[in-house]
DNA sequence: AGCACGCCGACT
DNA sequence: GTCGGCGTGCTC
């Protein structure tokens, strides 16, 4: 071995040392290091040795440095598999985070926790058996599987979009694919949105894969999490199931990555690095030569476009594998007509009639309203001023206990007696929230037992579990809530779902608002009617003609996707063009303005040097300009080629950092 | 991130 | 004269 030197990345979160350093490899470590090995190195004048990771081995040393020696291999650290390291570098470049932040993401647990006696799983064997396998596959499932198997023998890898209606048996297809990989001696990763990682799911998977499945979820302790990753690294586990972070399971011979409910927003990490698990999964699959399967009944438009353009192979499951469940019957109510006819209540006549029917039959109702609190804002009837948060550029939400709260920063104050700007005592609440909806529902249906589930109800005690259980047990007739209630939970006795104001989502100032609206409505529709009871679904709206509402009512995904893609094309939004958003934030507004202008200049210069010029918008103030006393400005860059955006961003950032001292935070996100 | 180096104010 | 403030700059 003539590789006498190693490039090491240090485990220090600071941009000034966020680059590799070259060290000599001492005699006794020769041949023992591979990319990803955790090592102890001397650094600067630091008294203690620093932890670092070998990034690459090299034969020649760079000149101009007095090289120092690696002290030794850091024990009790899981070495990073080489490809995972490559993945970290890729994430560093694509999401604008520091290398060591990317590393921390890729190796979620670095430190071994003292080995504790293993908890014997509370998993009772046998009970979940009936819920799974041994069922005959449908013809469609067979076809999908043989398609996947054929591709596997032709050449490893490939990406697939499994577009399957609810109840078409996607999960069974996943299970068979995972078993196939096991037979081939390869490992598989199954990603699920956190909300789907329920006790039942976990038990089902353990039934199916026994000791070979490693499951991670948010309630796991750090030590247990570490153990699961360690089992994957040592080959004790061959299947990793979990949320986004399960993507980084250190499997040596990964053969398959499945992302279930791929449209789910939970696949975007909201902390640094702001990665999209679907993109990272595609990259990891590419590096490992593994197959990638994205599954959904309502795919994201990005994935749909890729599938229709042949980048992903489209696999369809159009028929329900389970007989009985019928899609809910939808009614769209135009709220403008209600007002015209003199109905000033929040319940349209159609909705209140349908609620009455359910109540008389002893069936349950869910009402969805995407705004918590009592009233959206409090404003003065004399001068028109609304009460605003002193730290953010938003109005304060009125809560039923008389408090005024900021939903951005958590600021709280009591409702004043008089208007702070003119002294008038006439303050009135506008815009209804869930708390007021509970009140109004109680007035409208005095006999009904009502429960509320939103972020406020969830806070504290058991995270809303008792509310859900109470409702499931039939101890209430109507459940009122925010989007929390439409995700995941199934209540067999719910036969009516009402969306109080479908438009709130549409008016959100984002290019994805129609897609979000469609997804929420589709999920809400899915809550109505199970098995033998036909469900009904009522959408109240001021824009009944909108394609998101029309296609959600018709439960026609493809119609929605076509309309949405046409809109994205016309407006030049993703996935037609890639869009990089750059957010600059600072407490000092003047410094921010200066920094934003400087960044824009750096972008201009970087653009001039690049082969192709992206479209740049901004700097403009963020939709909510100030949050928690930080001012925020945005710059948007759009271009058909992803790499051009990365290249220009990287060059601009370098020039920018050379000129700006600090106090300005910079955030990148591909949207 | 750490730690040293360096160049100006009040102390035994 | 020197002890110590933290601005600036470097670490393979």
């Amino acid at each position: 071995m003539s590789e006498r030197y190693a490039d090491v990345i240090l485990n220090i979160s600071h941009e000034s040392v966020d680059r590799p350093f070259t060290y000599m490899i001492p005699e006794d470590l020769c041949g023992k290091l591979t990319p990803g090995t955790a090592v102890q190195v001397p650094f600067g004048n630091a008294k203690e040795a620093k932890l670092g990771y070998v990034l690459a081995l090299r034969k020649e040393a760079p000149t101009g440095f007095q090289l120092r020696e690696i002290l030794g291999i850091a024990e009790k650290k899981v070495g990073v598999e080489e490809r995972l390291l490559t993945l970290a570098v890729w994430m560093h470049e694509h999401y604008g985070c520091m290398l060591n932040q990317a590393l921390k993401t890729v190796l979620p647990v670095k430190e071994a926790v003292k080995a504790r006696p293993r908890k014997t799983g509370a998993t009772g064997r046998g009970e979940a058996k009936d819920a799974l396998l041994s069922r005959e596959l449908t013809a469609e499932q067979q076809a999908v599987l043989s398609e996947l198997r054929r591709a596997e023998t032709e050449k490893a890898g490939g990406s697939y979009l499994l577009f399957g209606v609810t109840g078409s048996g996607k999960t069974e297809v996943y299970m068979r694919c995972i078993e196939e990989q096991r037979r081939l001696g390869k490992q598989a990763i199954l990603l699920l949105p956190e909300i789907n990682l329920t006790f039942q799911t976990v038990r089902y998977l353990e039934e199916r894969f026994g000791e070979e499945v490693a499951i991670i979820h948010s309630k796991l302790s750090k030590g247990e999490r570490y153990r699961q990753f360690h089992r994957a690294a040592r080959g004790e586990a061959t299947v990793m199931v979990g949320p986004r972070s399960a993507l980084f399971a250190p499997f040596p011979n990964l053969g398959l990555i499945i992302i279930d409910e791929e449209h789910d927003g939970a696949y975007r990490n909201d902390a640094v690095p702001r990665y999209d698990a679907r993109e990272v999964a595609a990259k990891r699959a590419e590096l490992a030569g593994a197959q990638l399967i994205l599954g959904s009944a309502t795919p994201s438009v990005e994935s749909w476009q890729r599938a229709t353009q042949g980048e992903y192979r489209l696999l369809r499951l159009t028929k329900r594998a389970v007989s009985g469940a019928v899609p809910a019957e939808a009614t769209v109510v135009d709220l403008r007509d209600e007002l015209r006819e003199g109905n000033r209540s929040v319940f349209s006549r159609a909705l209140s009639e349908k609620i009455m029917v359910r109540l008389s039959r002893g069936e349950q109702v869910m009402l969805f309203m995407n705004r918590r609190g009592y009233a959206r804002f409090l404003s003065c009837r004399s001068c028109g001023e609304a009460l605003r948060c002193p730290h953010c550029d938003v109005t304060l939400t009125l809560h039923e206990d008389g408090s005024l709260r900021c939903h951005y920063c958590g600021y709280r104050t009591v409702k004043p007696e008089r208007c702070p700007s003119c002294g008038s005592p006439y303050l009135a609440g506008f815009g209804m929230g869930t708390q007021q909806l509970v009140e109004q529902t109680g007035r409208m249906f005095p006999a009904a037992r009502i429960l509320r589930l939103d972020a406020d109800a969830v806070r504290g005690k058991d995270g809303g579990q008792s509310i859900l259980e109470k409702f499931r047990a039939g101890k209430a007739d109507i459940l009122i809530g925010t989007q929390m209630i439409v995700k995941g939970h199934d209540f067999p006795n719910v036969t009516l779902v009402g969306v109080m104001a479908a438009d709130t989502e549409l008016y959100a100032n984002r290019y994805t608002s129609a897609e979000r609206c469609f997804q929420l409505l589709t999920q809400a529709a899915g809550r109505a009617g199970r098995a033998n009871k036909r469900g009904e679904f009522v959408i109240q709206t001021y824009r009944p003609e909108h394609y998101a509402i029309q296609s959600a009512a018709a439960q026609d995904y493809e119609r929605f996707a076509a309309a949405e893609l046409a809109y994205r094309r016309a407006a030049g939004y993703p996935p037609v063009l890639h869009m990089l958003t750059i957010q600059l934030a600072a407490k000092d507004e003047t410094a921010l303005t200066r920094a934003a202008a400087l960044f824009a200049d750096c972008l201009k210069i970087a653009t001039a040097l690049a082969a192709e010029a992206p479209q740049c918008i901004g700097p403009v103030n963020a939709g909510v300009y100030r949050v928690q006393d930080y001012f925020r400005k945005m710059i948007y860059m759009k271009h058909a080629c992803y790499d051009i955006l990365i290249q220009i961003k990287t060059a601009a950032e370098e020039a920018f950092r050379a000129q700006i001292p600090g106090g300005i935070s910079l955030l990148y996100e591909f949207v």
Side-chain angles (χ1 to χ4, degrees):
Chain A
M1 272 293 147
S2 53
E3 278 152 346
R4 310 279 311 158
Y5 307 96
D7 286 345
V8 172
I9 174 79
L10 294 152
N11 189 28
I12 301 173
S13 279
H14 197 279
E15 62 207 47
S16 57
V17 288
D18 189 42
R19 62 197 157 87
F21 290 86
T22 308
Y23 286 84
M24 288 189 286
I25 302 172
E27 207 71 49
D28 60 315
L29 289 182
C30 248
K32 288 187 180 165
L33 303 179
T34 55
T37 310
V39 288
Q40 299 281 355
V41 289
F43 189 67
N45 297 306
K47 289 190 198 83
E48 305 219 328
K50 295 280 174 212
L51 174 64
Y53 296 95
V54 176
L55 204 58
L57 298 172
R58 45 156 84 214
K59 296 186 171 99
E60 316 228 326
T63 51
F65 296 114
Q66 184 60 51
L67 296 189
R68 298 169 82 175
E69 278 198 340
I70 289 177
L71 300 172
I73 293 174
E75 297 300 334
K76 291 188 182 165
K77 314 275 175 191
V78 179
V80 201
E81 197 221 338
E82 186 177 346
R83 282 177 187 141
L84 274 178
L85 211 81
T86 314
L87 193 64
V89 174
W90 182 87
M91 287 174 75
H92 154 72
E93 285 166 358
H94 279 251
Y95 301 110
C97 64
M98 282 182 277
L99 240 181
N100 43 54
Q101 287 175 316
L103 276 169
K104 272 186 195 132
T105 310
V106 166
L107 10 141
V109 197
K110 312 187 297 290
E111 265 148 82
V113 181
K114 275 199 190 104
R116 240 184 297 140
R118 281 168 54 184
K119 260 183 267 168
T120 38
T123 319
R125 299 231 152 210
E127 281 179 69
K129 267 226 171 82
D130 55 327
L132 50 106
L133 73 170
S134 64
R135 193 192 295 139
E136 285 289 304
L137 290 180
T138 65
E140 272 188 337
Q141 285 174 318
Q142 300 270 18
V144 162
L145 278 166
S146 66
E147 172 81 10
L148 285 162
R149 209 171 292 131
R150 193 169 57 79
E152 183 68 35
T153 48
E154 273 172 15
K155 70 170 170 68
S159 305
Y160 300 84
L161 177 63
L162 180 57
F163 174 46
V165 298
T166 314
S168 60
K170 288 191 289 292
T171 310
E172 191 52 39
V173 172
Y174 300 154
M175 296 304 136
R176 303 274 172 141
C177 289
I178 294 170
E179 278 165 0
E180 191 90 12
Q181 293 298 327
R182 272 205 316 181
R183 264 197 294 281
L184 294 166
K186 293 185 176 186
Q187 300 89 40
I189 295 171
L190 170 59
L191 299 190
L192 299 172
E194 182 76 47
I195 193 130
N196 294 5
L197 283 164
T198 56
F199 181 66
Q200 287 98 315
T201 316
V202 171
R203 198 167 61 179
Y204 171 72
L205 285 155
E206 283 178 346
E207 274 298 327
R208 189 105 182 201
F209 299 107
E211 289 292 306
E212 284 192 37
V213 66
I215 300 171
I216 52 171
H217 53 84
S218 60
K219 287 185 188 77
L220 236 46
S221 71
K222 269 196 156 188
E224 187 59 22
R225 234 179 114 82
Y226 171 81
R227 203 176 74 81
Q228 299 301 338
F229 274 79
H230 202 64
R231 287 178 59 219
R234 285 205 309 224
E236 289 169 22
T238 58
V239 185
M240 175 68 83
V241 182
R244 304 184 285 275
S245 54
L247 194 49
F248 306 110
F251 284 130
N253 194 13
L254 182 66
L256 171 68
I257 303 176
I258 299 168
I259 305 184
D260 190 30
E261 308 287 343
E262 70 86 30
H263 60 276
D264 200 291
Y267 290 122
R268 275 175 184 277
N269 192 21
D270 50 13
V272 177
R274 303 199 155 226
Y275 67 90
D276 183 327
R278 290 163 298 191
E279 290 177 345
V280 182
K283 187 67 192 174
R284 182 156 192 212
E286 181 200 315
L287 289 169
Q291 214 170 42
L292 174 68
I293 302 176
L294 306 177
S296 179
T298 55
S300 63
V301 288
E302 284 84 355
S303 298
W304 184 252
Q305 153 128 325
R306 286 192 182 137
T308 50
Q309 289 183 346
E311 203 176 318
Y312 295 160
R313 214 175 301 182
L314 182 61
L315 305 170
R316 287 169 190 267
L317 289 174
T318 57
K319 297 184 187 68
R320 286 165 185 265
V322 209
S323 56
V326 196
E329 189 186 321
T331 309
V332 178
V333 177
D334 188 339
L335 288 173
R336 292 169 302 186
D337 291 345
E338 295 295 315
L339 197 64
R340 211 171 293 136
E341 308 268 330
N343 176 11
R344 298 185 61 190
S345 108
V346 287
F347 294 95
S348 61
R349 289 157 301 170
L351 181 56
S352 56
E353 274 163 29
K354 287 178 199 298
I355 292 174
M356 228 93 86
V357 171
R358 308 298 136 161
L359 293 175
S360 70
R361 281 201 218 139
E363 292 170 5
Q364 289 174 299
V365 178
M366 281 167 84
L367 297 177
F368 170 67
M369 161 147 267
N370 215 4
R371 185 185 297 138
R372 63 193 171 91
Y374 188 85
R376 188 161 63 91
F377 63 95
L378 196 62
S379 86
C380 172
R381 308 191 90 163
S382 301
C383 71
E385 283 293 315
L387 279 97
R388 311 183 71 87
C389 174
H391 306 288
C392 310
D393 281 342
V394 292
T395 55
L396 293 165
T397 303
L398 179 66
H399 281 245
E400 62 190 342
D401 60 1
S403 68
L404 281 168
R405 301 185 205 177
C406 173
H407 286 186
Y408 274 73
C409 73
Y411 171 83
R412 249 176 112 143
T413 184
V414 284
K415 181 187 166 189
E417 291 298 317
R418 290 169 176 278
C419 169
S421 39
C422 75
S424 154
Y426 302 109
L427 292 168
F430 291 90
M432 188 183 302
T434 44
Q435 290 171 354
Q436 194 180 349
L437 181 58
V438 170
E439 189 183 289
Q440 303 248 359
T441 308
R443 230 174 266 160
M444 191 90 174
F445 310 100
R449 297 161 302 166
I450 304 163
L451 284 173
R452 173 170 63 88
L453 187 66
D454 53 30
D456 299 307
V458 158
R459 201 163 301 135
K461 40 186 177 180
D462 59 351
Q465 279 310 309
S466 63
I467 297 171
L468 289 168
E469 269 151 38
K470 223 169 151 185
F471 189 61
R472 194 187 306 275
K475 288 180 183 149
D477 308 300
I478 303 176
L479 178 66
I480 288 172
T482 54
Q483 47 196 316
M484 232 167 253
I485 63 169
V486 301
K487 286 203 178 189
H489 314 290
D490 274 333
F491 302 100
N493 200 32
V494 170
T495 55
L496 174 65
V497 172
V499 176
M500 303 310 291
D503 313 280
T504 39
E505 206 53 49
L506 284 179
Y507 288 116
N509 191 21
R510 292 185 219 105
Y511 74 88
T512 53
S513 58
E515 188 178 12
R516 269 190 57 86
C517 176
F518 176 80
Q519 280 174 1
L520 277 173
L521 291 178
T522 305
Q523 281 163 7
R527 298 305 122 220
R530 325 291 315 164
N532 46 4
K533 289 176 192 160
R534 179 88 198 259
E536 278 199 84
F537 176 48
V538 177
I539 306 171
Q540 300 195 142
T541 176
Y542 287 97
R543 300 168 75 178
E545 70 294 339
H546 194 285
Y547 63 89
I549 289 171
Q550 287 287 320
S551 41
Q555 312 226 356
D556 187 344
Y557 172 77
E558 293 191 48
R559 176 171 148 198
F560 168 76
E564 183 65 8
L565 275 167
Y567 157 68
R568 304 275 180 101
R569 205 170 295 122
Y573 281 125
V576 179
L577 294 181
H578 291 287
M579 183 155 87
L580 175 65
T581 66
I582 300 156
Q583 189 198 81
L584 295 107
K587 280 198 173 180
D588 181 343
E589 194 179 4
T590 326
L592 177 65
T593 309
R594 210 171 334 115
L598 178 67
F599 199 99
D601 284 344
C602 293
L603 268 182
K604 251 179 230 140
I605 294 163
T607 301
L609 296 171
E612 284 176 73
Q615 191 184 335
C616 286
I617 302 153
V620 293
N621 293 352
V624 179
Y625 184 33
R626 190 178 48 134
V627 171
Q628 287 197 52
D629 291 320
Y630 278 86
F631 294 94
R632 296 142 2 126
K633 282 183 187 285
M634 314 295 296
I635 296 173
Y636 302 94
M637 274 207 292
K638 294 199 282 188
H639 196 273
C641 175
Y642 200 90
D643 290 336
I644 294 242
L645 291 177
I646 297 280
Q647 192 191 318
I648 292 173
K649 171 220 101 176
T650 309
E653 184 185 2
E654 202 175 306
F656 174 77
R657 290 221 191 267
Q659 292 176 63
I660 279 282
I664 306 282
S665 85
L666 206 54
L667 198 73
Y668 301 103
E669 192 170 7
F670 278 96
V671 290

